Amino acid sequence: MTIVFWILAALTVAGGLAAVTLRNTVHCALAVTAAFAGLALLFLQLDAQFAGFAQILVYIGAVAILVVFAILLTRESETTEHAVFSRTWLAGLCIAAGVFAVLGWAVLRSANAIPQQATAPVVAVKDIGNALMSRYVLPLEIVALLLTAAMVGAVVVAMHEKGDTK
Amino acid sequence: MVNTLDQIFVLLQHWIVGLLPAVLQPFAGVLLNVVAIIATFPALFAISVLLERKGLGRMQNRIGPNRVGPFGILQPVADGIKSLTKEDVVPFRADAIVHFMAPVVLVVIVFMGYAVLPMGRNMTLVHMDGALLFYFAMGACTELSVFMAGWASRNKYSLLGAMRAVAQMISYEVPLLLSSVTVVMITGSLSLDRIVEAQNQYTWGLPHWYIFTPWGLLAFLMFAIAATAETNRSPFDLPEGESELVAGYFTEYSGFKFAEFFLGEYVGMLSISGLGATLFLGGWSAPLEVLNFVPSWVWFFSKVMLSICVMIWLRGTLPRLRQDQLMNFAWKFVLPMTLLNLGVAALWRFMDGGWLRWVVCSAIVLGTYVLVGRSEMRRRHYGPRSYRYAE
């Protein structure tokens, strides 16, 4: 629990809070990006280089841009007049608290399940690649299939109907 | 003597750090390196802007800037003073905070990429295992700052420019990454230091640079195309097409903020040239074994400046692409070629050395280039262009 951790945690939480409380949707998207950046820095602080860089590359480089594009292309990006809280905020809060409790419980339990090591293991990017291509090749392929299906679906949705003029 | 000259910056840094008390030393060492990077690349930026204005002027039968100093070489100084003293205009309806943050984010992110570039023997700021991944992660963030600039200006030209820029940068990021992956496949490491070391070998006095292999040449060409598009340089400068969009996403920026965008663009060019030189042109290694007495950093910076000259030359030569041409080129030509190149690089890796793999790999690369190029040419419709207007 160093001071760096607290700064990063504050940045992440502030980004997340701003994302749900700001009125302008594009500001919300930018605040989410700040939260993503904070998470990536937390990964880096834990010496998880690959996870940190992948977080930046995928979430800031792609997901944030997609979110922003979706906001701009679908609806008015102007500030909303009505209140930012929807009517189901209580249900949403309960679900979020429930998910957080389950995740927290799982993380706290995992400390006992895994044997304690004296020193932190050094994981090179190469080891992660080897693990992905040997032990975890089935999950990798399933994810690849899922992504391909999503991409084909997107193309089908965007395709012109037969007989439809361009 | 040769060795001292090669390591002169490293020795200088050690000497300066040695003067300080021991408590400050680790911090001072890092700070000194960062200051060196932040001082060097804006200086190169000034040189390349001058080079561009003079060179482009000559290519267009003009003289170029020649008023400030002898032969106009002090022009960048005049430009700098001008942009510093100009009024900073922020549009009334603009989103002031995001408008302010966009150029700052761009400049910070662009400079981050230099942290992992090996600029000479032992001259890397951070020795990272996943250096290439870090570089691309930083490169992906520039899109966000471009979007922020375009959106916060509340100007239709800015927003259109930003949308174009982001679409273009996303499209060309895929081939940029895929063409670099071949180098990682052959080297077996994401560390840029290791990639340079793998190329710093000589046979009969000739270097083992990756550009001198069939897959490397193809990957380098695709990388160069994608890098030009990624930095929004001509012929891919649609996002700032002045005849359509005034200046694209930085239309509403003036004074020092405009200078920051300008700096970001050129420093980004220098940085991606440095990455290209590191991946394919052997980084800081000398082009011939006999030239090894020249300091390594001289080679790195001359390769970077050579790439900049080629980019200026391209800008003076090629006309701007149309939006549909830009997208077709990325997805129908560059992307298939880089995907194929992955296979060629794998073949190269697993075939035994010798002339056979040269013949096979070159045949595949050349054959596909001709086939894909021909089919693209045939499919192009040369008819009257149809225009669609917004209702």
Side-chain angles (χ1 to χ4, degrees), chain B residues 190-208:
Chain B
L190 279 164
S191 157
L192 292 177
D193 299 316
R194 293 268 294 279
I195 288 172
V196 174
E197 270 159 33
Q199 296 178 76
N200 190 22
Q201 301 162 21
Y202 298 89
T203 316
W204 306 324
L206 294 171
H208 282 216

Side-chain angles (χ1 to χ4, degrees), chain B residues 5-250:
Chain B
L5 212 58
D6 187 31
Q7 296 295 305
I8 186 147
F9 293 114
V10 181
L11 294 174
L12 202 66
Q13 191 241 16
H14 282 302
W15 178 70
I16 294 177
V17 170
L19 295 178
L20 293 165
V23 189
L24 289 174
Q25 276 185 6
F27 178 69
V30 174
L31 191 71
L32 209 61
N33 290 344
V34 172
V35 167
I37 287 176
I38 291 181
T40 311
F41 285 93
L44 283 180
F45 152 68
I47 294 172
S48 37
V49 169
L50 184 72
L51 208 64
E52 171 141 35
R53 293 184 65 176
K54 294 289 266 186
L56 217 54
R58 286 292 170 187
M59 283 177 208
Q60 297 165 346
N61 270 344
R62 297 183 282 117
I63 293 171
N66 66 346
R67 294 289 117 177
V68 192
F71 304 107
I73 54 167
L74 294 179
Q75 186 67 37
V77 181
D79 288 346
I81 293 171
K82 187 186 96 176
S83 61
L84 273 173
T85 52
K86 258 176 123 175
E87 186 193 354
D88 174 29
V89 183
V90 180
F92 177 64
R93 294 277 291 160
D95 195 312
I97 300 169
V98 183
H99 188 267
F100 168 76
M101 270 168 64
V104 179
V105 169
L106 179 73
V107 169
V108 169
I109 286 170
V110 160
F111 271 108
M112 294 281 268
Y114 289 107
V116 290
L117 283 186
M119 297 171 204
R121 200 174 274 124
N122 305 328
M123 278 168 71
T124 316
L125 177 54
V126 188
H127 298 275
M128 228 184 256
D129 192 31
L132 195 64
L133 202 63
F134 171 83
Y135 189 92
F136 285 126
M138 288 302 127
C141 297
T142 53
E143 287 152 23
L144 206 69
S145 82
V146 165
F147 170 81
M148 280 160 75
W151 179 80
S153 300
R154 293 295 164 92
N155 175 325
K156 60 186 171 195
Y157 297 122
S158 298
L159 192 58
L160 283 173
M163 296 290 255
R164 277 190 184 184
V166 173
Q168 173 179 334
M169 284 160 102
I170 288 182
S171 304
Y172 279 92
E173 200 167 281
V174 180
L176 190 76
L177 271 149
L178 283 177
S179 56
S180 315
V181 164
T182 51
V183 171
V184 178
M185 283 165 72
I186 299 293
T187 316
S189 171
L190 279 164
S191 157
L192 292 177
D193 299 316
R194 293 268 294 279
I195 288 172
V196 174
E197 270 159 33
Q199 296 178 76
N200 190 22
Q201 301 162 21
Y202 298 89
T203 316
W204 306 324
L206 294 171
H208 282 216
W209 294 359
Y210 288 143
I211 192 178
F212 298 131
T213 54
W215 61 269
L217 183 64
L218 181 63
F220 177 71
L221 291 177
M222 296 302 139
F223 181 91
I225 290 170
T228 317
E230 195 76 2
T231 48
N232 295 335
R233 287 283 300 181
S234 183
F236 304 102
D237 57 349
L238 286 116
E240 32 199 276
E242 49 280 86
S243 54
E244 302 148 23
L245 294 174
V246 192
Y249 51 88
F250 48 79

